[in-house]
Amino acid sequence: MKVYKNYEEKYKLLKSGSLSLKENVQHFLNKIDKQKHLNAFNFVFEDSLEQAAKVEKKIKSGSAGKLAGMVIAVKDVLAVKDKPLTCSSNILKNFISIYTATAVQKLIDEDAIIIGKTNCDEFAMGSSNENSAFGPVKNPHDLQRVPGGSSGGSAAAVTSGLCDAALGTDTGGSIRQPAAFCGVYGLKPTYGRVSRYGLTAYASSFDSIGPFANNIEDIALILQVISGYDKKDSTSSTLAVENYSNLLEENPPNLKIGLPKEYFGKGLDLEINLTINNVVENLRGHGFSVSEISLPMTEYAIAAYYILTTAEASSNLARYDAVKYGYRSKQKGDLSDMYINSRSEAFGHEVKRRIMLGTYVLSAGYYDAYYGKAQKVRRLFKNDFDKAFQSVDIIITPTTPTTAFKIGEQTSDPLQMYLNDIYTTSANLAGIPGLNIPVGKDKKGLPIGMQLLANQFQETKLLQLAYYLQKSFFNR
Ligand code: GLN
C-alpha cells in the first residue's frame, strides 16, 4: 500500500492510477479486522467497497468531489441512513437510522467513503470511552489505557490508521481530549458552524461536530465541507464559510498568543507543562508575541458545565420512552412500569447519574439555585473570553491535565473523571472553537496534546497556527 502524507497526496495517487481506491478501502477493512482488540468500531460498512468502485469511476471521469476517496469513520451518535445508530447504548441497540446527518451527507456528497461507525461513551457522556454498551476502547499507544472520551473510537481509529479521518462530537471536550490521548489532531468548531441535524442530542446548546485527522490540511478540508447553514438546524450559522484550505498557506501568521495562568497551575502534569512551554518558547523565538492572560472564571468551569449539560441531557433523553422505537422491557405492568423498566434496564450507570442530576437541578425547588445560577455563570465565561480576545488572537493551553490513564483507574470516582475536562469545557460554555494538536510524548511514550482556542468563527487562525507548527517544529 502506497503511503501518503495527507489527502492531497492521496488524491494525486488515485488520479494517476498508482493507488487503487478499492485496494485502499480493502486495506482499511483488513486493518480494522486485525485491530479488532482496540474495539474502535461498533459497525463496519462492508458496502464501502461498492462506494469505492463508484468513486473510482468518478475520479477517472473527472467528476469527483472535494473529498473523493477519503475514507472516513463516523462516531455512532451520527445518523447514517439505513445503518445502525446506537449511541453505544442498549436503549438503541437495534435502531436503524431513517435519514443521514447533514455533516455526514456533506461528506458523502463530496465523494468521501464512510467506512463505519465508531465506538464512544454512551450518548457521548464520558471522558474515557468506558461507558459504552460495546465495551471500552483501548488506547493504541498502550492497550492498558483509555483512548479518552467520548469520541474514543474515532481517535483510536485515526491514530492507528484504520481510516484517513473521522468525525466526532464535542460537548465538553469529547473531540479534543481523545485527540490528545491518542496523539492526533481534533477540532471542535464554533457552536453553530456545523449543522447538528442528525446528531443525537446530549446537551443541545453545547454539542458540536468536528473532524479528527493525522494532519492539519485534512482537518481544514473536512471542516470546509461540513460547515455552513442548514435549514434543518435553526442554531446553525448563516455566516459564510471561509476557504480554510487556501488560507492555511498564509504564512507566517502574525498572531498574538495568550497563556492563561489558570491553566498552568496545580494539577497539571509536569511533563505536559514542560512540553507546552517548550513549544511556546519556540514560537516566541520565531517572533510571535506571547503574553500571560487571565481567565478568572476557569475554576467554575466543571461545576457550571455539569449543571447545564445534565439539565439538557435529562430533557433530551426523555424521548427514550420505549413507545415508538428503541429497547422495551419484557416485564409486565402498566404504562408507567413500561417506561421505568425499559429505562432502568437499558441505560448505563453514567447516563442514569446524569439524568438524575439534571432532573434535580431543574426541579422547582432548586432551579434558581443551580440551573438559573449556572446560566448566569455561563455568560461570564463568554465575557472572560471576549475580554481576552481583545488583546490576543489565540489562547494556548494544555488539552488535558494528564496523559492517558489506565482503564478502570477512575471509574469509581465520577468527580475525578469529570476533572479530566477542566481545560476543555470552557470553550463549550462560551461556544468558541478549540483544536488539539499533538506536540510530543511523555516518558511513558504517551501522547501530549496542546489546545489552541480562538474567538467565535475564527477557525482560520487556529488552523494557520497549527499548520505553521506542523511545518516548522514537527516536520510533518
Ligand atoms: N467528558 C465530558 C462529559 O462527560 C465531555 C463529553 C463530550 O464532550 N461529549 O460530559
Side-chain angles (χ1 to χ4, degrees), residues 75 123-127 149-150 169-175 202 305-306 309 354 418 421 425 428:
K75 184 178 181 179
F123 287 103
M125 296 175 191
S127 310
S150 62
T169 63
D170 191 311
T171 304
S174 280
I175 291 175
Y202 157 16
Y305 171 82
Y306 277 94
T309 55
R354 297 200 188 192
Y418 296 169
D421 308 323
T425 46
N428 304 74

Side-chain angles (χ1 to χ4, degrees), residues 116-382:
K117 310 279 298 274
T118 50
N119 198 345
C120 57
D121 283 299
E122 184 176 3
F123 287 103
M125 296 175 191
S127 310
S128 65
N129 218 128
E130 291 167 291
N131 307 325
S132 165
F134 290 79
V137 176
K138 310 226 164 90
N139 189 319
H141 297 272
D142 176 348
L143 299 178
Q144 309 288 318
R145 292 176 190 270
V146 304
S150 62
S151 317
S154 292
V158 169
T159 198
S160 40
L162 310 184
C163 49
D164 290 321
L167 287 189
T169 63
D170 191 311
T171 304
S174 280
I175 291 175
R176 292 159 289 156
Q177 188 251 18
F181 279 11
C182 289
V184 295
Y185 291 88
L187 173 72
K188 169 222 158 339
T190 304
Y191 180 78
R193 182 66 299 180
V194 178
S195 165
R196 289 181 293 113
Y197 179 74
L199 158 62
T200 316
Y202 157 16
S204 313
S205 76
F206 290 74
D207 299 338
S208 318
I209 300 172
F212 288 89
N214 284 308
N215 63 83
I216 202 69
E217 300 90 308
D218 291 359
I219 295 276
L221 189 58
I222 296 170
L223 178 67
Q224 202 169 318
V225 168
I226 63 176
S227 292
Y229 176 70
D230 177 14
K231 62 177 187 311
K232 293 179 188 137
D233 171 8
S234 62
T235 65
S236 65
S237 169
T238 53
L239 206 74
V241 178
E242 288 179 74
N243 189 329
Y244 302 114
S245 298
N246 286 354
L247 290 165
L248 274 186
E249 291 289 346
E250 272 178 29
N251 223 349
N254 186 18
L255 302 170
K256 291 199 208 85
I257 292 163
L259 298 177
K261 58 171 192 268
E262 294 80 1
Y263 284 64
F264 291 88
K266 223 176 81 217
L268 175 61
D269 175 89
L270 194 65
E271 283 184 79
I272 297 181
N273 201 343
L274 289 174
T275 305
I276 291 179
N277 266 316
N278 199 14
V279 176
V280 170
E281 280 319 304
N282 259 318
L283 283 170
R284 220 194 282 267
H286 278 66
F288 285 84
S289 121
V290 181
S291 55
E292 187 180 273
I293 59 164
S294 175
L295 294 167
M297 289 303 292
T298 304
E299 62 174 303
Y300 305 107
I302 294 294
Y305 171 82
Y306 277 94
I307 288 172
L308 294 171
T309 55
T310 56
E312 292 191 28
S314 71
S315 154
N316 275 327
L317 271 59
R319 73 191 62 172
Y320 305 104
D321 57 7
V323 176
K324 293 203 184 71
Y325 59 88
Y327 175 87
R328 183 181 294 177
S329 170
K330 301 219 164 33
Q331 292 188 61
K332 298 223 160 37
D334 61 15
L335 181 65
S336 171
D337 295 326
M338 184 185 83
Y339 293 150
I340 293 171
N341 293 330
S342 304
R343 287 167 67 87
S344 305
E345 288 165 24
F347 281 137
H349 286 309
E350 184 60 28
V351 170
K352 284 181 189 159
R353 179 175 6 251
R354 297 200 188 192
I355 292 173
M356 286 190 282
L357 268 171
T359 308
Y360 179 78
V361 299
L362 286 175
S363 60
Y366 295 98
Y367 186 97
D368 290 339
Y370 293 107
Y371 184 73
K373 183 97 152 269
Q375 283 285 40
K376 289 182 190 149
V377 168
R378 185 175 192 180
R379 175 75 220 180
L380 301 178
F381 275 90
K382 176 80 176 49

